[in-house]
Amino acid sequence: MKLLSLWELKKMAMRNLARHKVKTLLTSMAIMVSVAVYIFLNCWLGGMAIESRRNIVNYEIGAAKLQTNIYFERKDELPSYENFTNWEVYRRALDREGYVSAPRYTFSGTLFSQSGSAPIMFYGVDPAAEEQVLRYVPYVDFGRYVQNGKFEIALGTMAAEKLKVGIPTRPYRMELEDLITKAAQSQSDADFIRSLYDIAPKSADPFALADTRSVEGNERMLLKRNTSRADLDYYWELITACGRNDVRINAVIDIREAPEMIRADKWEGELWTALRNEDRLLVQSAYEYEDFMSAYLLIEQDEEKLAKVLDAMIRAGFAGAVNHVNQAFDVVVAGVINSPSPLPNGNTAYIPLDVLQDEAGMMLEGAVTELIIREKNIPDSRLPGASESSAAITSALKRGLSSMGFSMPEELGVYTWQDYMEEYLKYESIQTGMPQILAFLLFLLSFLGISNTILLAILERTREIGMMRALGMTDKQMITTYMLEAGFLGLIGSVLGVIFGCIINYPIVVHGIDFSSFNDVMSDGIGFRTTAVFRSSWNIPLIFGSAIVATLLASFMAYLPTKRALKMPITSSLRFE
């Protein structure tokens, strides 16, 4: 028998596939399902990760923050005393270089309503600037966003439900009637409020059986989805007039101040050991030890030197350098936020920055804790790139300041969203990585099954292999033929798998899958920074890569069974039954 060319071996492999149509179809279908499921799962997980990152940038942090270096080092402690002034100058400098920015003062506190209390993260904001940089501002379900000069807050929907402020969306009938008693100014108002609700069907609530409060006469009610904006606004006016939206903020004002006196035990045990060597002489020169008081007394009066002493104490983490002043003031809930990102919807409140400046607020005196930054006219779908890196923004800020005759203080730094979300990104990689590993293992497992199918097919054709060898085909040609045959099987299944995987992925990319019912029950969310609809994405390298890998895997799966069959003597192969 003459030496067969590769082309002739290909034709032989294709004829073998045509002769065994049923096995070819079943094996190809198995490969198709494996490839399609792998594509779908990876694209879906990738899409959720991308959507989460977009939400972090567009609704929470922006591309980066300008703040003091010490604030970033201790960001988990929310050191609001680590603030800075003259932020308007930095904002103008960034604007010159093509960036938009928004000032913020971040602090934590407790919010009290008529019905309870909740810990809240507060953000003092400039409403117009906030809307330029972040995208949560228009997502006000009820009421409106905050306005400058007014003691009011925009509250996350989760906090609003806990505190029972704003418009209730899923009240019990008795709760609703109690609200009507307080809010309705006439019978027509009472009828109007009742007309906005329907009784919640139990079939629509998967947790209705565990709802012990929902009994006859106290059914769960649902706010109608088709309620007009005008009706919601009038309803909001009624509940605001009855005082339901009146709340009180209780927070702590942290003020940096060099202490007048430091006890000797605190000086030696807390301050001195924590000070840097180069700061010790500076701090020591500002204080004098008084033996009869067993304490160090402040003697330095020069403001510039005192500021340096205070900076040294803050760097050392000395608690005595920060005074804590309790502050309480009343505000009104102006609106309830329900955005595509969980953070603005949670225990979060936004308050106008200008009302926090004096003693009636947080005594800021023009200070902010951060400027959130984004490049101008950047599409919301695009994650920050090189132009929004820390180095690029820092260089742009320095150029802008220099053109205005200013310089950037050493204590300020630019920190990107990745710097802030480092722990979340690690968690995200685990959350998406484990299912992907599982999917790949299932992918390999399916191919082990396919390998078994190919093994049985080769065993059934042992006599055929013996005959071909007797006619002069070499072992190498036999291995090549069966690897090509299995490779063609893999190629057919992979192409079908890519097509099928893209078909089932398309609606998930366009419409997504609604997980809002899970978020209603799981108050902490389900791991990703998105609230309701999880969308997939198109991962082109993975789609085509999985097809190539599947084809090669299928091809190599034929190697060992063929090699094993070729170990049998030709005479034994011809007698094989």
Side-chain angles (χ1 to χ4, degrees):
M1 185 176 184
K2 68 174 184 178
L3 189 65
L4 298 175
S5 66
L6 183 60
W7 175 249
E8 289 172 318
L9 294 177
K10 288 180 182 178
K11 290 197 294 184
M12 185 180 297
M14 293 298 291
R15 283 197 299 269
N16 287 339
L17 291 177
R19 281 193 301 134
H20 303 87
K21 294 184 179 64
V22 175
K23 288 181 181 177
T24 299
L25 178 63
L26 292 176
T27 307
S28 297
M29 290 291 287
I31 296 172
M32 178 194 77
V33 171
S34 300
V35 172
V37 170
Y38 184 70
I39 289 172
F40 169 73
L41 185 58
N42 278 272
C43 287
W44 190 29
L45 289 170
M48 289 191 290
I50 291 171
E51 190 73 10
S52 295
R53 295 181 180 197
R54 286 174 180 159
N55 286 346
I56 289 169
V57 172
N58 294 328
Y59 296 92
E60 299 180 22
I61 294 178
K65 291 183 179 185
L66 174 68
Q67 55 194 184
T68 69
N69 299 317
I70 295 179
Y71 188 102
F72 178 75
E73 291 171 7
R74 302 175 185 172
K75 59 184 181 296
D76 295 334
E77 303 170 13
L78 294 178
S80 56
Y81 56 84
E82 274 301 318
N83 48 49
F84 59 95
T85 55
N86 298 324
W87 54 268
E88 298 91 343
V89 174
Y90 307 132
R91 193 170 180 229
R92 289 199 301 272
L94 287 166
D95 182 68
R96 283 169 172 254
E97 297 297 321
Y99 295 91
V100 289
S101 58
R104 275 187 170 187
Y105 181 81
T106 304
F107 64 100
S108 61
T110 304
L111 195 62
F112 295 89
S113 70
Q114 296 176 357
S115 302
S117 63
I120 300 290
M121 183 72 73
F122 293 95
Y123 297 100
V125 300
D126 179 314
E130 193 83 356
E131 190 168 11
Q132 278 188 304
V133 182
L134 298 179
R135 301 294 177 256
Y136 72 89
V137 176
Y139 289 93
V140 179
D141 265 4
F142 312 119
R144 58 168 174 77
Y145 196 61
V146 295
Q147 296 176 353
N148 280 329
K150 296 184 178 182
F151 278 87
E152 57 188 22
I153 60 172
L155 193 61
T157 182
M158 185 186 300
E161 289 178 3
K162 287 180 181 178
L163 296 170
K164 295 186 178 179
V165 299
I167 295 175
T169 56
R170 301 174 68 244
Y172 292 96
R173 184 184 292 276
M174 292 177 64
E175 290 177 346
L176 182 61
E177 290 299 322
D178 182 59
L179 174 60
I180 291 172
T181 301
K182 296 176 181 177
Q185 300 175 8
S186 63
Q187 185 59 43
S188 61
D189 284 343
D191 294 338
F192 163 72
I193 295 174
R194 291 189 185 99
S195 71
L196 301 180
Y197 291 89
D198 284 328
I199 297 175
K202 290 188 177 181
S203 58
D205 187 354
F207 298 91
L209 294 176
D211 191 354
T212 57
R213 293 179 61 186
S214 182
V215 295
E216 187 175 353
N218 192 33
E219 300 90 351
R220 173 77 77 175
M221 310 296 289
L222 284 180
L223 183 68
K224 294 178 180 176
R225 291 183 177 272
N226 60 352
T227 304
S228 68
R229 190 73 208 182
D231 286 344
L232 289 174
D233 289 343
Y234 181 64
Y235 189 10
W236 186 268
E237 291 176 9
L238 290 175
I239 62 177
T240 300
C242 78
R244 178 182 171 91
N245 288 343
D246 294 342
V247 292
R248 168 165 287 195
I249 296 174
N250 193 325
V252 175
I253 302 172
D254 293 333
I255 302 174
R256 290 167 42 124
E257 186 177 18
E260 295 288 335
M261 182 184 73
I262 305 175
R263 294 201 321 262
D265 58 333
K266 285 189 172 292
W267 177 283
E268 296 165 4
E270 296 180 20
L271 177 59
W272 191 256
T273 55
L275 284 170
R276 300 187 308 186
N277 290 332
E278 57 267 33
D279 291 333
R280 287 181 174 179
L281 185 60
L282 172 68
V283 174
Q284 191 173 38
S285 67
Y287 285 84
E288 186 175 80
Y289 181 70
E290 289 290 345
D291 188 53
F292 76 95
M293 296 180 66
S294 188
Y296 289 83
L297 302 182
L298 182 66
I299 58 173
E300 182 60 57
Q301 299 299 321
D302 182 78
E303 291 187 5
E304 186 176 343
K305 186 175 179 181
L306 273 178
K308 294 179 180 179
V309 169
L310 185 56
D311 286 341
M313 289 181 171
I314 294 295
R315 279 195 297 270
F318 181 53
V322 180
N323 284 336
H324 306 290
V325 180
N326 288 319
Q327 177 72 313
F329 51 99
D330 297 323
V331 295
V332 176
V333 178
V336 176
I337 295 171
N338 187 16
S339 77
S341 183
L343 187 137
N345 308 344
N347 284 8
T348 307
Y350 301 87
I351 183 169
L353 185 62
D354 60 353
V355 303
L356 300 177
Q357 298 305 311
D358 54 25
E359 290 81 1
M362 297 293 288
M363 296 188 286
L364 301 186
E365 299 180 352
V368 297
T369 55
E370 62 204 35
L371 274 181
I372 52 175
I373 304 166
R374 194 84 216 263
E375 190 175 357
K376 286 182 180 178
N377 304 318
I378 202 78
D380 290 348
S381 59
R382 187 185 302 171
L383 287 171
S387 61
E388 293 181 297
S389 66
S390 177
I393 295 175
T394 301
S395 297
L397 179 57
K398 287 181 177 178
R399 286 196 306 270
L401 287 171
S402 178
S403 67
M404 297 164 61
F406 298 97
S407 59
M408 183 172 169
E410 292 183 2
E411 65 267 20
L412 294 182
V414 175
Y415 298 93
T416 65
W417 71 277
Q418 293 104 321
D419 295 328
Y420 255 84
M421 303 307 297
E422 185 177 1
E423 292 301 318
Y424 170 78
L425 293 175
K426 290 178 182 177
Y427 169 72
E428 180 195 86
S429 65
I430 294 173
Q431 194 172 24
T432 56
M434 292 305 294
Q436 288 175 348
I437 292 172
L438 180 61
F440 188 70
L441 290 176
L442 291 174
F443 186 74
L444 290 178
L445 190 62
S446 67
F447 273 90
L448 289 176
I450 294 164
S451 167
N452 188 54
T453 302
I454 294 171
L455 173 61
L456 291 174
I458 291 173
L459 286 175
E460 289 175 358
R461 291 151 66 182
T462 301
R463 292 183 65 185
E464 179 184 325
I465 292 172
M467 183 179 66
M468 298 298 292
R469 292 170 69 197
L471 291 173
M473 280 190 71
T474 65
D475 289 356
K476 184 178 180 180
Q477 288 177 323
M478 292 299 301
I479 291 172
T480 302
T481 301
Y482 283 101
M483 287 185 69
L484 285 171
E485 183 179 335
F488 285 134
L489 272 174
L491 179 61
I492 295 168
S494 297
V495 171
L496 293 174
V498 167
I499 295 171
F500 184 56
C502 291
I503 289 172
I504 61 176
N505 195 48
Y506 177 77
I508 314 301
V509 171
V510 176
H511 304 292
I513 297 178
D514 191 348
F515 277 87
S516 56
S517 59
F518 285 91
N519 282 293
D520 286 342
V521 178
M522 300 174 66
S523 59
D524 293 330
I526 50 181
F528 288 94
R529 285 300 233 279
T530 183
T531 54
V533 178
F534 282 13
R535 287 184 171 86
S536 185
S537 64
W538 294 113
N539 189 336
I540 304 302
L542 181 135
I543 290 172
F544 287 102
S546 61
I548 294 170
V549 170
T551 301
L552 293 176
L553 268 176
S555 180
F556 284 108
M557 288 296 180
Y559 178 79
L560 290 177
T562 308
K563 192 76 173 175
R564 180 181 175 183
L566 291 174
K567 289 181 180 179
M568 188 180 295
I570 295 176
T571 53
S572 300
S573 298
L574 292 172
R575 291 195 299 268
F576 187 83
E577 294 293 339

